[in-house]
Amino acid sequence: MYTCPYIFYKNMLFEVITIFPEIINGYMKTGVLGRALEKKKIEVRAHDLRDWTTDKHKSVDDTPYGGGAGMVMKVEPIYKALKSLKKVKKRKVILLSAKGKQWNQQLAKKYSKDLQSMVFICGRYEGIDERVLVLVDEEISIGDYVLTGGELGALTIMDSVARLIPGVLGNNASLDMESHSKPGVLEYPQYTKPEKIVLNKKTYKVPPILLSGDHPKIAEWRMKHTKKKK
Ligand code: SAM
């Protein structure tokens, strides 16, 4: 009898390989994402990389060949961690790296539709042994700066993908008009109560059109005040 080697996920499975799983679990259990977990719209598994080490110190890093400052993460524990994961169809393994392709809203949209699972490898120290690249599908950066670890990158990507999954946000309509839903387009200004407020001795009022109840005119105003990214 044929048994399919893959697990099929209706919703999104995120797996994170990290030496700080508590960072991932703390954030992902909060607010909108926490509710998405409860509703089983997403599933998150944070794996402690040290579980795949063999020495008594649970070392995940070593000195760099060729010398130089800092430590480099070893590839064997990462290889073992990846091998231990259940196979899932439509999955991408992503290495967080300052050298990677830059993450953006268009990729978040594509992956939220196309994928059933994303696996993140979070570097620390001076980075990871270059041979890790043969184990990953993509190397992704969240911006042109250097962080101390890949966890914020993994959280950024998971957050931006998860909120696009149908049923995760209370009101999916808000996704159509928000910043970056079309490349380079930024959302119109938003206001809430009170209508009038004094800040630093100056009075600031809500634009009167937003109080008019004239919805075609409000839509026109919003369209006019939608900005283009500089
Ligand atoms: N020496 C590396 C370099 O110059 O590119 C930086 C290593 S950084 C201190 C440690 C880890 O943080 C990286 O392996 C990566 O996983 C993560 N990281 C740092 N900056 C990042 C960024 N902009 N986007 C995604 N991950 C990043």
Side-chain angles (χ1 to χ4, degrees):
M1 195 183 71
Y2 171 74
T3 341
C4 178
Y6 294 103
I7 295 183
F8 285 85
Y9 274 86
K10 214 169 112 241
N11 298 317
M12 182 68 84
L13 169 67
F14 295 118
E15 302 203 73
V16 186
I17 297 171
T18 166
I19 59 169
F20 295 118
E22 64 278 11
I23 299 179
I24 304 298
N25 290 328
Y27 184 83
M28 294 302 287
K29 283 184 185 158
T30 309
V32 168
L33 299 178
R35 286 194 290 282
L37 279 173
E38 278 163 21
K39 289 192 277 179
K40 302 209 181 322
K41 296 284 172 197
I42 57 170
E43 189 177 332
V44 178
R45 294 185 198 157
H47 305 283
D48 188 343
L49 182 61
R50 295 192 196 279
D51 291 345
W52 286 277
T53 54
T54 45
D55 64 311
K56 71 172 181 188
H57 301 296
K58 295 184 176 286
S59 330
V60 292
D61 59 320
D62 212 326
T63 51
Y65 278 119
M71 300 295 272
V72 175
M73 285 180 89
K74 294 155 74 68
V75 75
E76 301 104 299
I78 295 171
Y79 178 62
K80 287 184 193 157
L82 286 172
K83 282 279 173 200
S84 78
L85 303 182
K86 296 215 171 77
K87 287 189 178 145
V88 181
K89 276 251 170 188
K90 299 189 182 172
R91 176 173 89 173
K92 266 195 196 290
V93 177
I94 291 172
L95 172 68
L96 278 311
S97 161
K99 296 181 269 187
K101 170 163 98 183
Q102 186 143 345
W103 184 248
N104 63 36
Q105 186 70 9
Q106 305 316 308
L107 283 173
K109 272 191 195 174
K110 181 168 164 47
Y111 291 175
S112 72
K113 282 205 192 88
D114 296 354
L115 300 181
Q116 288 179 352
S117 173
M118 300 177 86
V119 177
F120 300 96
I121 300 171
C122 301
R124 283 267 154 182
Y125 316 112
E126 280 309 307
I128 308 181
D129 185 320
E130 189 74 4
R131 291 167 290 184
V132 73
L133 289 178
V134 300
L135 306 176
V136 309
D137 300 305
E138 288 200 53
E139 197 180 358
I140 289 188
S141 160
I142 57 160
D144 289 345
Y145 38 78
V146 178
L147 302 165
T148 54
E151 290 75 14
L152 281 176
L155 288 171
T156 300
I157 295 173
M158 288 191 285
D159 190 313
S160 59
V161 169
R163 65 188 290 286
L164 299 176
I165 293 170
V168 168
L169 290 185
N171 178 8
N172 276 344
S174 60
L175 295 175
D176 302 335
M177 295 295 283
E178 70 181 357
S179 301
H180 309 293
S181 59
K182 293 187 189 72
V185 176
L186 306 177
E187 194 187 54
Y188 49 80
Q190 300 267 21
Y191 297 87
T192 187
K193 294 177 185 70
E195 273 178 48
K196 215 191 308 177
I197 191 165
V198 178
L199 303 171
N200 296 328
K201 298 184 186 156
K202 204 172 157 197
T203 303
Y204 294 87
K205 291 182 190 162
V206 171
I209 189 71
L210 299 180
L211 311 173
S212 69
D214 184 339
H215 291 288
K217 281 261 185 293
I218 291 172
E220 201 179 299
W221 181 92
R222 285 181 168 165
M223 196 60 83
K224 198 171 144 205
H225 287 81
T226 296
K227 291 179 212 142
K228 286 260 183 283
K229 198 175 160 200
K230 284 181 197 139

